[in-house]
Amino acid sequence: MTSLVSNFDEFMDGLWKQNPIFVMVLGMCPTLAVTVSAINSISMGLATTFVLVASCLLVSLLRHAIPKEVRIASYIVIIATFVTVVDYAIQAISLELYEALGAYIKLIVANCILLGRAEAHAAKTPPVAASLNACGMGLGFTLGLLAIGAVREIFGSGMLFGVSLFGPHFQPWVIMVLPPGGFFVLAGWLILFAAIKARNSSQLSSGERALEGGKS
Amino acid sequence: MSRDPEITSSTDMIRALGLIAAICGIIIVGVYEFTLDAVNANKKIALERQVFKVFPHAKTVDAFDALPGGISPAGDHDALAGAVRFYAAYDATGKLAGIAAEGSSAGYADQVRVLYAWDPEKQLIIGLGVISMRETPGIGDKILVDRDFLHNFVALDVSLAADLNSLAHMVKTVKHGTKSHDWEIDAISGATVTSKAVGRGINQSAQALLPRLMPHLAQLRNKS
Amino acid sequence: MKPTIELRAAPHVHSGISVPVIMRNVVGALLPICAFSVWQYGISAAALILTVTASCLLTERFFSSRTGLGNTLADWSAAITGILLALTLPPNFPLWMGVVAGFIAIALGKSLFGGMGFNPFNPALVGRAFVQGAFPSTIASFVPSYAPQRFTEFVPSTLTAPLMQAADNSAWIGHAAIDAFTGATPLARWKFENFTYSAGDFMTGVVTASAGETSAILILACGVYLAMRRYLDWRIPVAVLGSALILAWAFHLAVPARYPEPVFVLLSGGLMLGAIFMATDMATSPVTPVGVWIYGALIGIVSVVIRYFGGLTEGVMYAILIANAASPLIDQMTQPKVFGARSR
């Protein structure tokens, strides 16, 4: 029972509490580059999730076999392998998607979330927990990308998942599909999260104060 | 570190790395073999879609490489160094409908890759499609939709010079509203950089391809 | 606990001039320019100025109440941002885009940095830069001045429904029956057609331009008034216009056929408005005497360079934003030597 709870915690950790984009602010390169549409964001997010889960699982399985002197080299080789796998898989699924994501699929290998998770978590955790945590992180990353991609697609082209929302006379906000738009939308979400956090903590501290007042 | 770190022997490190490399190698080769057919099929479909866009009557497409000494059917691999890849489009009866080739040049943001349709009978470029670009939406990407701009490619003169070694006139992009010859491309006002990239790409490709292609055109007349 | 120290934005000089007094006078100096703009472009320009200013004021109100700054509308700075922003937009700019520009100007350009005095960039230009990036084609389409129906009919694009593309103005322009209206600004005509206007055209404002850029004389007169009352630093506009003039003159002397008369550079586009009302923003310009000259010269030079060699027809906006970004550095490098201190 406790293991179930802790596994669930492992999963939720990445999805919300330590969301790679909004809380840890990791992996900004693909975050800003590919989030011009919701579909691109989801594809990129799922590709990263796959690499994350597969590499964390393998790292976790091999964690006793990898000497610590060569661990970084081992992790990078493992991550690069699964990035290559995803690269072929996306080419086989859709060339259009492959063109849209461009070099950023190959650049997943340099995404700091992957090495960070392998080093900080998977190398010290049994396989089930490691892959659950990786899955949560990956889905949290996907969620973050989707939040940015959806806003940019709505403003930048008046569509969501390719479905037109405002009819043919919509005026696209060109800047939203250009790199500055990525920065603006990311900043907007970060402000929102910071505001929620500030409000929660102020409520918490006022609650504590009330408690202390009752005591004295 | 409170505890004395254990010293790992070199053989252990090499063994571990070797094990990982072996596992990874097997995975990559397996996936490559598994996806190869689907990837090639996708590439072929994407290519045909592009070519059919500039030759609406075409039914089949064959890829060729133009080398200095002649032309040869292209294999699955990318074009060899020094070869120019082009595509012969055939209609339903197997007759040559035209030749399509890629021109690419640096635009405002990234390479602008276009596919131009060449009519061997008239020695004219008769159509233009865009393969890929990352130009500014609303400005550079007008090359896809701007009627006046696309009208440049209904009959763009790329006839060869008398010595058959180069084009009679260089394909050139000129300022908006100043086109005065059939080999000039009227730029989109406000999107000059992208317009010029299109012109430059076509010029480079046509200069390299057409002199090699002309002597061997008879080989391509009918689908082999 | 009562705060013992009140933190305030520059300037700190005790001269009886407070921030609201300066700001009120700047608004006063902008009103004649607004009036002239409305006279030229009619109710569309009036609606644009009012809407953009209202958008700025509401945004300011929202953020200042949220951040606990209290009511900051009384210092008039948001109103100035709104009016200046409206004056840099085409008079036929859709109102809903004006609202977006006003919101971005205050929210992104000012409030996020902590309100008045803390903004590194001129808020009005941040707003304009955003809509320039978002709606590049709409911001480059203009209507003629002095159209006969300007006081009775709105330009169609002004009343465009929110989020929709700007309505087509060709019927309205046709109705105005103005000869030789090209829809291109003098700078664009010079760049693409090698056509220059005479100085007199700029004085009367018959050229195509943004709402408040047309009459160089009027802007200059308002600037002189503010400078005489010491509400703006006269060295900044002099440095901006002077450096632009010298550079333009040098280019014209070198290749007369290619580059226009220096006076054309001075009077066309937003250089005059930018030099007098935007480059002089106290929060975003340097404070050292030498720094002010460097800052002004940077704006003038970058403006001319962008106009002559850039892809855009007008470069004043980006020139000022670049100089804004450089101004802390300029300040740091031009600090006066402390008396008795050893040089490093």
Side-chain angles (χ1 to χ4, degrees):
Chain A
M1 201 55 206
T2 48
S3 76
L4 203 69
V5 170
S6 74
N7 277 346
F8 182 71
D9 280 352
E10 291 277 13
F11 180 73
M12 286 310 286
D13 222 25
L15 201 61
W16 192 252
K17 258 186 289 175
Q18 293 195 45
N19 187 295
I21 291 184
F22 296 134
V23 180
M24 298 201 286
V25 199
L26 286 178
M28 288 297 106
C29 170
T31 304
L32 295 168
V34 302
T35 53
V36 290
S37 71
I39 215 81
N40 278 8
S41 306
I42 289 197
S43 316
M44 184 69 196
L46 292 182
T48 310
T49 306
F50 169 77
V51 178
L52 200 51
V53 172
S55 57
C56 279
L57 183 65
L58 197 56
V59 166
S60 176
L61 285 172
L62 295 174
R63 69 188 187 280
H64 298 302
I66 299 174
K68 69 177 188 313
E69 288 85 351
V70 292
R71 68 186 192 285
I72 300 288
S74 315
Y75 300 159
I76 287 291
V77 170
I78 290 171
I79 292 167
T81 304
F82 289 108
V83 171
T84 314
V85 168
V86 160
D87 192 65
Y88 286 135
I90 292 183
Q91 278 191 64
I93 294 165
S94 160
L95 270 185
E96 261 170 49
L97 187 63
Y98 187 72
E99 292 266 316
L101 297 179
Y104 295 99
I105 299 174
K106 296 175 182 87
L107 282 175
I108 293 177
V109 76
N111 190 329
C112 39
I113 299 171
L114 290 145
L115 194 57
R117 280 294 102 187
E119 164 84 3
H121 197 267
K124 304 165 187 157
T125 325
V128 175
S131 46
L132 272 175
N133 180 281
C135 192
M137 282 287 164
L139 291 180
F141 186 66
T142 311
L143 197 72
L145 291 185
L146 179 64
I148 297 170
V151 174
R152 288 179 74 181
E153 190 179 358
I154 289 171
F155 283 107
S157 42
M159 297 191 283
L160 191 58
F161 293 105
V163 180
S164 176
L165 297 178
F166 302 104
H169 295 294
F170 177 78
Q171 166 70 48
W173 301 33
V174 177
I175 199 168
M176 284 300 181
V177 291
L178 298 178
F183 283 98
F184 288 143
V185 177
L186 175 65
W189 281 111
L190 287 176
I191 289 172
L192 194 69
F193 273 73
I196 293 172
K197 209 170 163 188
R199 181 190 287 176
N200 285 350
S201 68
S202 79
Q203 271 171 4
L204 208 66
S205 61
S206 68
E208 277 169 2
R209 238 177 283 139
L211 213 63
E212 275 170 20
K215 265 184 210 164
S216 61
Chain B
M1 289 263 169
S2 53
R3 257 190 302 166
D4 203 32
E6 291 165 38
I7 310 279
T8 316
S9 71
S10 321
T11 39
D12 279 352
M13 288 191 228
I14 291 171
R15 196 182 316 128
L17 284 177
L19 173 73
I20 289 168
I23 295 175
C24 293
I26 291 167
I27 294 176
I28 291 181
V29 172
V31 172
Y32 176 78
E33 291 292 336
F34 184 71
T35 55
L36 188 62
D37 289 343
V39 172
N40 281 340
N42 267 345
K43 282 190 176 158
K44 194 168 165 57
I45 292 170
L47 168 72
E48 285 180 349
R49 203 182 297 147
Q50 293 285 355
V51 174
F52 292 163
K53 215 181 274 170
V54 290
F55 289 115
H57 303 299
K59 286 282 172 281
T60 53
V61 177
D62 285 335
F64 292 90
D65 284 334
L67 295 153
I71 54 175
S72 65
D76 277 341
H77 51 79
D78 290 340
L80 301 167
V84 183
R85 177 66 57 90
F86 67 92
Y87 311 100
Y90 296 96
D91 62 14
T93 60
K95 249 186 70 194
L96 184 67
I99 306 282
E102 184 187 323
S104 102
S105 176
Y108 195 78
D110 200 352
Q111 289 293 112
V112 176
R113 294 170 60 204
V114 295
L115 193 75
Y116 59 89
W118 180 64
D119 184 328
E121 311 304 326
K122 302 182 199 146
Q123 295 216 14
L124 293 174
I125 286 177
I126 55 167
L128 180 80
V130 176
I131 299 173
S132 75
M133 62 164 172
R134 292 181 189 279
E135 302 298 285
T136 317
I139 301 175
D141 72 352
K142 280 194 209 156
I143 58 167
L144 278 172
V145 290
D146 191 285
R147 274 166 195 279
D148 292 340
F149 185 69
L150 292 176
H151 194 75
N152 285 312
F153 306 98
V154 171
L156 185 72
D157 182 6
V158 284
S159 50
L160 290 182
D163 65 355
L164 296 182
N165 277 330
S166 64
L167 301 187
H169 306 282
M170 214 176 123
V171 175
K172 219 177 135 192
T173 307
V174 295
K175 257 190 190 179
H176 180 66
T178 59
K179 172 170 173 154
S180 53
H181 301 286
D182 284 345
W183 57 85
E184 286 174 346
I185 299 170
D186 193 14
I188 301 175
S189 124
T192 319
V193 175
T194 313
S195 309
K196 279 194 172 157
V198 173
R200 218 168 29 231
I202 292 179
N203 184 57
Q204 276 168 9
S205 165
Q207 297 274 17
L209 172 66
L210 298 184
R212 289 184 193 174
L213 182 56
M214 276 307 267
H216 307 285
L217 206 54
Q219 287 180 35
L220 298 168
R221 289 274 178 228
N222 287 297
K223 192 170 168 62
S224 50
Chain C
M1 199 174 69
K2 257 179 79 178
T4 49
I5 300 171
E6 191 184 347
L7 286 177
R8 273 214 169 165
H12 303 292
V13 192
H14 280 275
S15 58
I17 302 175
S18 69
V19 170
V21 171
I22 299 179
M23 296 297 177
R24 223 167 28 234
N25 271 281
V26 176
V27 173
L30 283 169
L31 285 181
I33 301 170
C34 295
F36 186 69
S37 175
V38 173
W39 165 244
Q40 278 186 297
Y41 295 109
I43 48 178
S44 306
L48 182 69
I49 294 170
L50 290 176
T51 311
V52 174
T53 311
S55 164
C56 284
L57 291 175
L58 286 174
T59 312
E60 173 87 7
R61 170 109 194 117
F62 174 78
F63 278 100
S64 57
S65 68
R66 280 266 148 156
T67 48
L69 286 176
N71 186 0
T72 50
L73 296 186
D75 67 23
W76 290 88
S77 62
I80 294 180
T81 300
I83 296 173
L84 276 177
L85 176 56
L87 292 179
T88 60
L89 296 171
N92 50 317
F93 202 58
L95 293 181
W96 76 265
M97 295 183 191
V99 172
V100 172
F103 174 79
I104 294 288
I106 295 293
L108 192 67
K110 193 169 156 196
S111 296
L112 285 185
F113 291 104
M116 189 179 65
F118 297 101
N119 47 314
F121 298 102
N122 186 313
L125 291 179
V126 171
R128 193 188 192 280
F130 184 86
V131 285
Q132 167 102 53
F135 316 116
S137 51
T138 314
I139 209 166
S141 74
F142 296 91
V143 290
S145 53
Y146 301 121
Q149 77 276 32
R150 65 189 187 278
F151 292 117
T152 51
E153 282 175 47
F154 280 105
V155 184
S157 64
T158 298
L159 299 178
T160 305
L163 296 181
M164 295 298 136
Q165 281 165 12
D168 184 24
N169 289 334
S170 49
W172 196 89
I173 294 169
H175 188 216
I178 304 266
D179 289 339
F181 176 71
T182 60
T185 61
L187 282 168
R189 292 196 72 183
W190 165 73
K191 193 160 211 158
F192 300 120
E193 302 166 28
N194 214 2
F195 179 96
T196 51
Y197 286 77
S198 74
D201 292 337
F202 290 110
M203 302 296 165
T204 53
V206 292
V207 295
T208 307
S210 295
E213 294 178 348
T214 46
S215 179
I217 284 286
L218 191 60
I219 298 170
L220 201 59
C222 295
V224 169
Y225 162 78
L226 286 176
M228 280 174 43
R229 300 288 298 268
R230 300 274 180 121
Y231 293 145
L232 62 76
D233 190 342
W234 59 271
R235 285 168 295 193
I236 293 175
V238 168
V240 174
L241 299 175
S243 60
L245 194 66
I246 292 170
L247 192 61
W249 177 73
F251 273 116
H252 182 67
L253 221 58
V255 196
R258 170 98 176 73
Y259 300 106
E261 301 265 349
V263 70
F264 171 82
V265 173
L266 217 53
L267 297 178
S268 60
L271 188 64
M272 198 62 88
L273 191 71
I276 290 174
F277 286 102
M278 297 189 213
T280 52
D281 182 353
M282 288 167 186
T284 60
S285 55
V287 292
T288 59
V290 183
V292 164
W293 287 108
I294 298 175
Y295 167 83
L298 185 65
I299 295 175
I301 292 167
V302 174
S303 298
V304 172
V305 167
I306 293 179
R307 281 183 182 183
Y308 284 6
F309 306 107
L312 293 164
T313 55
E314 174 62 305
V316 175
M317 173 178 76
Y318 290 118
I320 297 178
L321 289 172
I322 289 168
N324 284 164
S327 98
L329 182 67
I330 295 174
D331 255 346
Q332 204 181 15
M333 286 169 61
T334 57
Q335 283 299 322
K337 217 175 86 182
V338 176
F339 182 70
R342 258 185 238 170
S343 60
R344 271 172 293 173

